[in-house]
Amino acid sequence: MEARPMGRIVLVTGVSRHLGARVAEAVAADPGVDRVVGVDAAPLRRPLGAVEHVSADLHGGSIAQTVVDSGADTVLHLGLTPAGSAPGGGSATGNGNILGTMQLLAGCQRSESVARLVVRSSAAVYGESGHGPLLCTEEREARSMPRSAYAHNAAEVEEHTEALARRLPELSVAVLRFASFIGPSVDTPLTRYFGLRLVPTVRGYDPRMQFIHEDDGVEAVRRMALSDKAGVFNVAGSGSLPLSQCLRRVGRRRFAMPERGLRMLGGLARRGEFDYSPDQLRLLCSGRVVDFSKLERELGWSPSYTSSEAFEAYLSEHSGGPRRHNAAPPRRPHRTRPALGS
């Protein structure tokens, strides 16, 4: 009897959170994958079926050793959550992600089996674009270091990843810069912002909001993991919505503050009197919209949801009371999944 060819071994970080858990399950279901190892410092929120869970200490070097010991040939780095941190992150999560990234990349360098690395990043690395919308392509260099801590952390993760790619040219590396995740099940600082009873905005700004539906985000990572495409890729749904329109459709009360008022908001957040930080609000001052044609061209795949449809899917589960748009639009089917190695 002829032996069956060995399939891939895939290591996925960030499996204590929604995206990481769903990606790990989607990859484990692929017939070309033999094992999936899910890594995070925080405990799992739910069982992940066939996914093997490994708890790794952000400060002990165990992440690097886990990469080596797993025998993984494909590593999907979707972030690491410090144990005990709150969902959605904060400075502890951001710093933990940078530290965890450095350890994980060290493990990839030491490993004799890792040949493919996919890293989650954010469109926030493009920085702020002033009062007008800006179409960002992967080739655009940021004019200055992004001001928000979240964007700064994402840019630093990319810098460490790029340094590894230069040291190991034989390693196939892809970086995915995601627009804001949204959908029925997503819990992020942005979805919590839309859920505030009184929603703050920055006076003089009405930025364009571009989204990626959670299902499309999972599929983008899965497809990129199975491909050999290297480089930086924007990931987003087509189109965009003004923030003012999003808030009207959510039906929340809002108040506009001057930009200098962000400092006062920060004081309230630190004292626990307000649950949305000025750093997160500053991200909403950016009018960036990303061009994701490179992703479509390289993968031969497009997100199923536009930005507007992804927002409707979020509203279908989270908006209270009657709405003008009563249901999420029907989902368009994805194209046939490619087999591993195709």
Side-chain angles (χ1 to χ4, degrees):
M1 181 177 179
E2 187 176 345
R4 183 176 65 88
M6 287 291 292
R8 288 190 182 182
I9 300 174
V10 181
L11 183 144
V12 184
T13 69
V15 292
S16 73
R17 288 182 281 184
H18 185 70
L19 176 65
R22 288 197 56 192
V23 166
E25 290 175 317
V27 173
D30 193 287
V33 173
D34 273 359
R35 290 176 59 216
V36 174
V37 180
V39 181
D40 215 327
L44 296 180
R45 299 182 188 178
R46 59 180 177 83
L48 297 182
V51 177
E52 303 171 25
H53 176 231
V54 176
S55 179
D57 182 2
L58 291 177
H59 301 280
S62 61
I63 296 171
Q65 192 59 46
T66 297
V67 173
V68 174
D69 293 343
S70 69
D73 51 78
T74 302
V75 173
L76 311 181
H77 183 38
L78 307 181
L80 290 152
T81 308
S85 68
S91 60
T93 301
N95 294 335
N97 198 22
I98 293 171
L99 176 61
T101 296
M102 294 173 66
Q103 291 191 19
L104 179 124
L105 297 179
C108 290
Q109 185 167 354
R110 287 166 46 195
S111 170
E112 297 181 357
S113 58
V114 175
R116 176 69 170 161
L117 172 65
V118 178
V119 175
R120 175 188 179 181
S121 185
S122 168
V125 300
Y126 291 116
E128 299 180 20
S129 59
H131 291 261
L134 177 67
L135 185 66
C136 300
T137 66
E138 293 86 352
E139 289 71 31
R140 175 180 177 267
E141 294 291 336
R143 289 171 293 182
S144 61
M145 178 61 72
R147 285 197 299 166
S148 75
Y150 174 75
H152 180 92
N153 289 337
E156 189 169 345
V157 165
E158 286 197 16
E159 289 173 6
H160 290 300
T161 303
E162 183 181 357
L164 177 68
R166 287 196 301 266
R167 292 194 300 270
L168 297 177
E170 68 275 15
L171 180 65
S172 173
V173 179
V175 174
L176 302 180
R177 291 175 177 166
F178 284 98
S180 298
F181 275 88
I182 206 162
S185 306
V186 171
D187 177 25
T188 68
L190 180 61
T191 60
R192 292 194 289 276
Y193 170 77
F194 287 140
L196 293 174
R197 292 183 179 180
L198 188 62
V199 181
T201 59
V202 181
R203 189 175 300 155
Y205 290 88
D206 190 16
R208 307 295 301 187
M209 304 298 294
Q210 190 176 28
F211 303 109
I212 182 72
H213 191 284
E214 56 186 287
D215 292 349
D216 287 329
V218 171
E219 183 68 4
V221 177
R222 191 197 71 83
R223 285 177 176 259
M224 190 59 72
L226 308 189
S227 80
D228 59 357
K229 306 300 181 182
V232 177
F233 299 86
N234 291 332
V235 187
S238 61
S240 61
L241 299 169
L243 176 60
S244 59
Q245 181 179 339
C246 293
L247 295 179
R248 282 196 302 271
R249 290 164 72 175
V250 170
R252 302 295 186 183
R253 293 177 56 198
R254 55 192 170 118
F255 70 94
M257 65 171 61
E259 193 168 359
R260 62 179 180 273
L262 291 175
R263 183 175 300 177
M264 178 188 71
L265 184 64
L268 294 174
R270 284 191 294 274
R271 294 197 302 268
E273 299 173 25
F274 200 80
D275 56 358
Y276 199 78
S277 76
D279 184 69
Q280 293 160 345
L281 187 58
R282 188 175 289 114
L283 280 172
L284 298 181
C285 294
S286 302
R288 79 180 77 82
V289 175
V290 302
D291 176 358
F292 58 95
S293 59
K294 179 181 178 183
L295 179 83
E296 293 180 307
R297 185 172 61 253
E298 294 290 322
L299 288 185
W301 171 82
S302 299
S304 292
Y305 291 82
T306 66
S307 288
S308 179
E309 290 169 346
F311 189 70
E312 283 291 331
Y314 159 77
L315 286 178
S316 70
E317 292 294 326
H318 296 276
S319 180
R323 295 190 295 105
R324 227 178 275 172
H325 308 274
N326 291 317
R331 181 181 176 188
R332 296 187 297 272
H334 288 294
R335 299 174 192 177
T336 304
R337 293 186 173 188
L340 279 164
S342 62

